[in-house]
Amino acid sequence: MKNLFEKLIGSKKRYNDYKAEKEQLPQSYKDALHALEQYMWNFAKGENFMEVLENMLQLFKESSIEQLPLQDIMGNDPVEFANAIMAQYPEELWFIKSQEKLRLEIERLNK
């Protein structure tokens, strides 16, 4: 049986590779990505969530090369930014499925 860590991220090598790449970011980008991770892990439900993190890492790597300010990447509200990213991966997040279930149930009741 897989342990909880492996259920959430999959292979440890993949996660360690991600962490190593993240360490190469400039400090402010690394700190911002870490803060986003901390928020987003609250909603992860499966090992494919690593895809979300890897895609965010790629965005931050490219943005650091271009020296974009963090606000240009995330806008004025980091929660809105994180939620917009997570909305692209509904199958990996339990709360999006819960939101959809609620919408469908209320829609059914309104008929």
Side-chain angles (χ1 to χ4, degrees):
M1 184 165 109
K2 289 184 175 181
N3 67 32
L4 179 61
F5 183 77
E6 288 177 343
K7 283 184 180 180
L8 288 176
I9 65 157
S11 99
K12 288 181 182 179
K13 181 187 179 329
R14 184 177 180 188
Y15 184 66
N16 288 334
D17 290 348
Y18 165 80
K19 287 183 358 181
E21 284 189 57
K22 186 173 91 170
E23 281 301 312
Q24 300 303 312
L25 289 172
Q27 192 64 47
S28 61
Y29 291 82
K30 185 172 21 177
D31 291 345
L33 185 55
H34 180 74
L36 287 165
E37 280 179 47
Q38 294 296 308
Y39 173 74
M40 294 169 86
W41 273 117
N42 291 300
F43 310 108
K45 74 168 190 133
E47 68 183 66
N48 292 332
F49 189 66
M50 277 305 301
E51 181 181 342
V52 178
L53 296 179
E54 290 165 341
N55 287 340
M56 278 199 329
L57 175 61
Q58 187 62 37
L59 172 65
F60 275 71
K61 284 171 55 177
E62 292 170 5
S63 298
S64 72
I65 291 168
E66 296 175 19
Q67 298 181 335
L68 290 175
L70 290 172
Q71 188 170 12
D72 286 0
I73 301 167
M74 296 186 288
N76 294 324
D77 186 351
V79 172
E80 190 175 299
F81 172 78
N83 289 345
I85 288 177
M86 291 187 296
Q88 297 174 36
Y89 302 90
E91 65 281 355
E92 304 309 325
L93 303 161
W94 63 264
F95 85 98
I96 293 178
K97 284 192 172 201
S98 297
Q99 290 171 342
E100 187 60 27
K101 183 178 177 182
L102 174 61
R103 286 183 184 109
L104 291 172
E105 183 63 20
I106 297 302
E107 182 179 312
R108 183 186 66 77
L109 292 171
N110 283 330
K111 288 184 178 180

